[in-house]
Amino acid sequence: MSNDTEAPLPEGWEMRTSRSTGMTYFLNMYTKKSQWERPEVPAEPGEVRCSHILVKHSDSRRPSSWREDHIKRTKEEALDLIKNYRKQIVSNDASFTDVAMKCSDCSSAKRGGDLGMFGRGQMQQAFEEEAFKLKVGQLSKPIETESGFHIILRTV
Ligand SMILES: O=C(O)CN(Cc1ccccc1)C(=O)c1nc(-c2ccccc2)[nH]c1C(=O)O
């Protein structure tokens, strides 16, 4: 049992003292809801901001992009590509933004892959699940949607 005053709170929570009773309570900084129990897990943000790199393949729902009218690469080749892009970014051989602008098959490539802020229910399920798992600044492993393979960078 952690002492209420010392251990750091999970991300997104703040400790408050009730003006009327002097009792300690906890405020979720995203939903502004309060609770008496000390939170054990981070508060989930209502929205996140992410950038992504999309590599499409011949089985993508729309196998076409600003880069290539008729995308012929196989799923296997697309997965290899996105893994190599991730390696280049992680090893600092290339920046996420540059790789997105040059190589992403998403129309967001022009914005360095930026998708802006989004909440749950706006993106394909697999994309959303991964995006909301990420911490700010974290780069996802490759994930698959009907659009193709993605790596996701959470920025806010
Ligand atoms: O899946 C389809 O039928 C066509 N799409 C959906 C789409 C098309 C244009 C703009 C945004 C989404 C894509 O293939 C697609 N998906 C995305 C996407 C997927 C997940 C997260 C963000 C973007 N981008 C694109 C794109 O062409 O630019």
Side-chain angles (χ1 to χ4, degrees):
M1 176 68 176
S2 59
N3 176 319
D4 268 359
T5 50
E6 270 129 48
L9 280 172
E11 190 210 345
W13 291 93
E14 281 198 4
M15 199 183 290
R16 290 280 196 279
T17 304
S18 160
R19 269 197 284 271
S20 49
T21 65
M23 281 176 69
T24 298
Y25 66 95
F26 301 93
L27 184 67
N28 179 320
M29 299 308 286
Y30 297 116
T31 62
K32 301 302 177 202
K33 285 197 172 45
S34 59
Q35 64 183 52
W36 295 115
E37 309 74 33
R38 182 184 185 81
E40 303 290 326
V41 294
E44 176 173 291
E47 287 194 322
V48 295
R49 182 172 185 174
C50 293
S51 295
H52 80 135
I53 294 166
L54 167 62
V55 178
K56 293 188 173 184
H57 47 76
S58 55
D59 292 336
S60 288
R61 199 167 50 191
R62 188 174 73 96
S64 168
S65 77
W66 65 275
R67 302 182 77 245
E68 212 174 338
D69 278 349
H70 185 92
I71 292 172
K72 297 183 187 65
R73 69 172 74 92
T74 64
K75 272 183 87 168
E76 198 180 10
E77 287 163 343
L79 184 54
D80 271 351
L81 265 178
I82 199 89
K83 284 178 177 175
N84 285 332
Y85 294 153
R86 189 178 195 281
K87 276 202 190 90
Q88 288 171 36
I89 293 160
V90 167
S91 61
N92 263 324
D93 286 342
S95 77
F96 183 96
T97 304
D98 285 350
V99 176
M101 293 187 88
K102 291 191 185 95
C103 309
S104 179
D105 282 315
C106 178
S107 51
S108 61
K110 288 157 194 55
R111 298 185 300 281
D114 180 38
L115 295 169
M117 300 293 289
F118 58 89
R120 283 193 178 276
Q122 291 180 244
M123 299 293 179
Q124 295 171 65
Q125 191 60 34
F127 190 97
E128 171 188 301
E129 279 317 306
E130 190 65 21
F132 275 82
K133 266 187 206 155
L134 296 172
K135 291 185 172 56
V136 175
Q138 194 177 357
L139 179 63
S140 78
K141 62 185 187 317
I143 60 122
E144 184 175 7
T145 68
E146 291 184 59
S147 302
F149 290 103
H150 313 248
I151 47 174
I152 307 167
L153 175 68
R154 182 172 167 203
T155 52
V156 170

